[in-house]
Amino acid sequence: MIRTEEMLLNVGPQHPSTHGVFRLVIKIDGEMIIDAKPVIGYLHRGTEKIAENLQYTQIIPYTDRLDYLAAMTNNYVLCHAVETMMELEIPERAEYLRIITMELGRIASHLVWWGTYLLDLGATSPFLYAFREREMIINLLNEISGGRLTFNYMRVGGVKWDAPDGWIEKVKAFIPYMREQLAGYGDLVTGNEIFLNRVKGIGQYTKEEAMDYSLSGANLRCTGLAWDLRKNEPYSIYDRFSFEICTADTGDAWGRYQVRIQEIEQSLRILEQAVEQFPETGEVMGKVPKVIKPPKGETFVRIESPRGEIGCYIASEGKKEPYRLKFRRPSFYNLQILPKLLVGQNMANLIAILGAIDIVLGEVDG
Amino acid sequence: MIEGLLTSEATWLHFFIYFALTLLLLLIVLGFVTYAILAERKVMGFMQLRHGPNQVGGRWGLLQTVADVLKLLIKEDAIPRAADKPLFILAPVIAFTPAFMVLAIIPFTDRFQFADIGVGLLYYIAVSGITTVGIVTAGWASNNKYALMGAMRAAAQMISYEIPLVMSVIGVILLTGSMNLNDIVLAQESGWYILWQPIAFIVFFIAAVAELNRVPFDLAEAESELVAGYFVEYTGFRWAFFMLAEYVYMFAMSALITVVFLGGWLPLPYLGFIPGAVWFALKFMVVIFLLIWFRVTFPRIRADQLMEFGWKVLLPVAIANIFLTALLKEWINLF
Amino acid sequence: MSEKDKEQLKKEAAEKARAAAQRKREEREKKKEKSNDSASEMPQTTEDVTSNQDLEKQKAAAAAKAKAAALAKKKAKEAEGTETEPTANQDLEKQKAIAIAKAKAAAAAKRKAKNANENGDSEKAKAIAAAKAKAAAAAKAKGKITQAKETEVSEPITPSPQQPILDRYLNIVKEHYKDDILEDSYINRMSKHVPTIVVKLEHYYSLALLFKQHSGLHFEFLSELHGTDFETYMEIYVHLYSFKNKQSVALKVKMDRENPRVDSIASIWPGANWPECEAYDLLGIQFTNHPDLHRIMLGEDWVGHPLRKDYEPYDVEV
Amino acid sequence: MFGLAKGLKYTLKNMTRKKLTYDYPNEPLPLPDRFRGIQKFYPEKCIVCNQCANICPTDCITLTGKKHPDSSKRGKIIDTYDINFEICILCDLCTEVCPTEAIIMTNQFELAEYSRDELFKDLVWLDENDTQLRRENKA
């Protein structure tokens, strides 16, 4: 007579595949997961509390540290919220610079995801190939903002620096190069049968479930819902560019993979047009009062970050500091569906599912 | 030469000569392990646009592995308190010994072989299976959940892949009519078995990679899932023993593939002036390179898919190959 | 000495010892209590809270005075014909129906003015001024002019494009509820003109359910949920979105600050699960019927709720 | 099987490509001019306006001024100036607000020390830190 026993396994907070300090307590029967409970908060730094005592400009460096893989979008969402409250006019050139840096950041973020996801699945090389291209993007962003990861580039009313000489040309040259590398990625991974077997049908959910669980970004689009705030609720100057919303209809890890890879391509398209339309001259900083004091009231804006819908809520009392600042952090919302997806899967799928959600712990824990 | 020694009179002199030769092999193998690890890291580095080790021992990092081993030897020997201590200590030995034992029957050249057994191939497969026991022991004795899962995976994987491994070489045995490795090599003078038995080669190679626990079949370790699988609790020289076993086993398996499918020490036509040892080394290195190349490229297969592949694909194909070979043999004999 | 005596002596001795020990213990405990008393002066005692309340009342009173002053100023300005800035802060206790009616009146006037004069900017400006004056006059005629209404009336821009959508929401809500369940509803111009509805605490859950299930509303996506401590009350802000109708709404509910308690909507939108945990963790808002309410960020042993405005960091080591 | 072969081809092709890693500590990391490294401080330019200390999001700058020794001149001169690099996040805001460019960024980013106390940099250290100074300091 064989006696089986359930086992409680503590995955994390230090585990090679949790991408940070994320802990998952799972109950397993053999390798089959019966129950899963995510435990978060190990990286909680209380950004929202700190921000209540800071001026708006001072908060921007803190936003860099939320989703540290795509800091530009975080910079933007805060500035955008304040600008919406104050109804500020942003100069053309600044808008273009914002779009270019944000899209570069989006590509970089997706590249990191691509590399680490394959690393989770046991392939070591894609990680290094992805970082080769990411390094070029980081160098570009470093040149314009002075930071490699925490850019602190955007300001309320514009951006900090104008593009240095020849920078736009460098971005222009990067686009075809990235396209070529993307084809290589396809050769290496996308057609790989082992990889396909690992991701197809894994972590599947329906469109309704995705909406119920407040998923956003690629996690939502992989169910076939064409929803991208850049297109559906255009902010900044996204309505000037033609690009497509990438979707897949499978709703599984493979769908999410496809969506992200296609998004790199669409971001390249946006970049191409933005670089083409880039105004020759102009200011990069709008007319902004010396001390930023949004009027009394509250605002909530949301934009599309690489990980989904990032939102910023500000309640202002008309002071230099926000009364209450709250970020809608997409990874935090996206991670909620994890326990539901894990039940009935085995250990290897756990990694594949967790990786496909694409979380950044800095963002989950705020 | 060595064969002569074995059957010769048992004198102290003969004993010492034999002992010295064994020591030589051990050194060769250890040297191989040292540089196989380096080669693997270098090739992986090159394929991943890195330089690989280049700090210790000049530009090529020739002393890197030596430095690593030294570091491992002076590391603290930590045994978890809750571990099953005797088994914990025994496990690396069980895993490591068979890897060396199988080397005895590999004919490196027509002269350099330690034991020419009639059932060499069978001996190899039988003895190499013991390694699994060592791995399962390690996983059990560590008293760690990840280690246990790794060990269970390893056991399941080894059992499933041993069968296609054996089945695939039956084709070769059928054609040779012998299980002696020397006979198998000599039978390939008319053409290597990779040409006559391509299906068997593919099945054997895949099963061999699985037996070696290498990517894409490295589920027992599965760094990203089980942290390090069965040796998660091992450190220092005990861990080094597992590593050593893994690479010696890789050495043995590559040698076996060279012997069984690539014609061992036999030269290519018209190139007979190059000594057999060089030929053996060349073919051997191709196999090693292939293993490393796979490791760089592929992601890991999932456990259930691995089982499915072993039982539903490899095994039927191997059996079909036996059937085909038998037909072929009958057909050739007809004429 | 007999053995009995011995035993008795022993007993007595033991009892003495016990008594002594008891005395000592009591003394020690007393000391401890004393030291505890001196050590445990945490700020969250009831007294402090009440004093806080008092403070807040005073603050509120001061704010009211300031508001009155501002109102007076504004009136003066209006008389001069200058445009006052639209302050988005509506006075929430006012009846919304009148406000809407007035806004509509203003809008109608504005539209008329626009239609009539499309030739020149100066004319337009004049027309706008006229319209404003008219609207103001109309408002005054109604008598009880409140600050909120005035700001709305004096708004120089056209009514928000989202106004019809808000009206539609309100109509649907009216259809389903006999009595007035809303505290307020307005367009939040600062937040990209999002229709905002403030619901009474007891109807929060049922309205949320209606918002999700009604085919005309169909808000299937919960975009954001968080709480805020406004010092006089706690507030939950929920941003909902309907992919079907491509519309969004901000749903708010206010609750008592001392004992914040509200129904959980995690059963309607599973996506509200963690955000509610976060609000509970950082603000101490209790969500009834929540599937698994726990301190998600800080851990169960954390003292206090950091995002409350009266939070005092508690550190064992300091 | 075809997909696997494609992958193998890709990795093999990369074997002969130019290597991207380089000998880091021996070869310095090429950094753009705008890079935000450890600050350089010019005591003579400082007018003790306190703006840098006020804008610092982490409050890592502490400074004190004293009266100008030359009593004929007005204003203050800097007395002490400390940056605590344990908490400095190199956000560049101090150099952004500085009206006289008394504090600027350098390309120097290697900050590892053996003790926490050594991360507390004072006026003298910051004054002497003049390698790889940033040229462009105002947007």
Side-chain angles (χ1 to χ4, degrees), chain A residues 12-305:
Chain A
Q14 269 123 40
H15 183 278
S17 295
T18 50
H19 299 267
V21 277
F22 171 58
R23 177 168 160 225
L24 196 61
V25 184
I26 55 173
K27 204 187 269 176
I28 46 175
D29 177 15
E31 278 213 20
M32 208 58 80
I33 297 167
I34 309 168
D35 194 18
K37 188 177 183 304
V39 182
I40 61 169
Y42 292 92
L43 201 57
H44 180 67
R45 294 149 297 181
T47 309
E48 286 154 14
K49 180 73 186 171
I50 296 171
E52 285 177 10
N53 299 315
L54 293 180
Q55 298 170 27
Y56 289 94
T57 318
Q58 290 177 312
I59 303 168
I60 296 169
Y62 280 94
T63 65
D64 283 334
R65 285 150 180 87
L66 285 174
D67 178 357
Y68 40 77
L69 292 181
M72 280 295 179
T73 19
N74 295 356
N75 277 191
Y76 181 73
V77 75
L78 179 72
C79 296
H80 186 51
V82 180
E83 284 155 10
T84 313
M85 282 184 113
M86 299 173 74
E87 290 170 4
L88 289 177
E89 197 75 32
I90 317 298
E92 191 92 327
R93 199 172 159 93
E95 289 278 29
Y96 275 101
L97 280 172
R98 282 176 171 194
I99 297 269
I100 292 169
T101 50
M102 275 200 286
E103 290 306 317
L104 282 173
R106 191 183 307 273
I107 296 172
S109 166
H110 281 335
L111 283 175
V112 175
W113 174 79
W114 185 78
T116 51
Y117 189 52
L118 266 294
L119 201 63
D120 289 350
L121 298 182
T124 41
S125 298
F127 181 73
L128 288 130
Y129 297 135
F131 268 57
R132 167 184 63 192
E133 273 77 67
R134 177 172 179 263
E135 187 66 22
M136 302 179 84
I137 295 176
I138 284 183
N139 282 340
L140 283 172
L141 294 177
N142 192 2
E143 260 172 62
I144 197 167
S145 72
R148 286 169 57 82
L149 215 55
T150 50
F151 306 114
N152 189 16
Y153 178 57
M154 295 188 195
R155 293 286 181 275
V156 175
V159 294
K160 179 169 159 62
W161 304 93
D162 198 355
D165 292 338
W167 191 78
I168 293 295
E169 277 65 42
K170 278 184 193 164
V171 176
K172 220 179 251 179
F174 173 75
I175 296 162
Y177 170 80
M178 186 64 219
R179 286 229 167 91
E180 194 188 309
Q181 298 310 318
L182 214 50
Y185 295 171
D187 285 348
L188 181 61
V189 174
T190 312
N192 189 312
E193 283 86 356
I194 298 175
F195 169 73
L196 293 179
N197 277 326
R198 287 289 310 263
V199 293
K200 276 193 178 164
I202 300 303
Q204 204 158 16
Y205 47 74
T206 62
K207 195 191 286 184
E208 284 68 35
E209 281 167 338
M211 289 191 256
D212 272 351
Y213 277 89
S214 297
L215 303 191
S216 52
N219 292 299
L220 182 62
R221 288 193 281 275
C222 73
T223 58
L225 186 71
W227 184 256
D228 190 325
L229 290 171
R230 290 178 290 172
K231 198 100 178 169
N232 299 78
E233 284 181 2
Y235 51 90
S236 189
I237 48 165
Y238 271 111
D239 45 357
R240 297 189 195 173
F241 309 111
S242 76
F243 63 99
E244 278 144 34
I245 303 175
C246 319
T247 57
D249 44 16
T250 50
D252 56 3
W254 169 232
R256 274 158 257 167
Y257 176 89
Q258 281 175 306
V259 168
R260 294 206 175 97
I261 290 290
Q262 286 166 22
E263 266 183 25
I264 297 181
E265 234 161 72
Q266 296 304 326
S267 287
L268 287 174
R269 265 181 75 183
I270 297 176
L271 274 180
E272 211 168 28
Q273 296 166 48
V275 171
E276 210 54 55
Q277 299 169 14
F278 191 71
E280 290 290 315
T281 53
E283 284 289 310
V284 292
M285 198 67 189
K287 285 192 183 63
V288 182
K290 197 141 195 254
V291 181
I292 296 153
K293 277 187 190 168
K296 193 170 161 63
E298 58 181 5
T299 190
F300 175 70
V301 297
R302 40 185 204 158
I303 65 163
E304 191 76 22
S305 98

Side-chain angles (χ1 to χ4, degrees), chain A residues 40 49 52 80 211-212 214-215 227 296 298-300 302 309 313 323-324 326 328 333 336, chain C residues 188 190-192 212 220-227 229 231 241 252 271 274 278 296 306 309:
Chain A
I40 61 169
K49 180 73 186 171
E52 285 177 10
H80 186 51
M211 289 191 256
D212 272 351
S214 297
L215 303 191
W227 184 256
K296 193 170 161 63
E298 58 181 5
T299 190
F300 175 70
R302 40 185 204 158
E309 199 180 296
Y313 169 88
Y323 183 79
R324 168 90 162 100
K326 167 85 175 111
R328 184 218 194 261
Y333 283 78
Q336 285 186 83
Chain C
N188 188 351
M190 257 187 214
S191 183
K192 298 191 175 179
K212 170 136 189 213
E220 68 270 69
F221 187 77
L222 179 132
S223 176
E224 159 80 352
L225 186 151
H226 70 256
D229 176 11
E231 285 176 276
Y241 193 81
K252 287 167 121 190
W274 284 15
E278 198 187 2
I296 193 163
K309 291 286 174 184

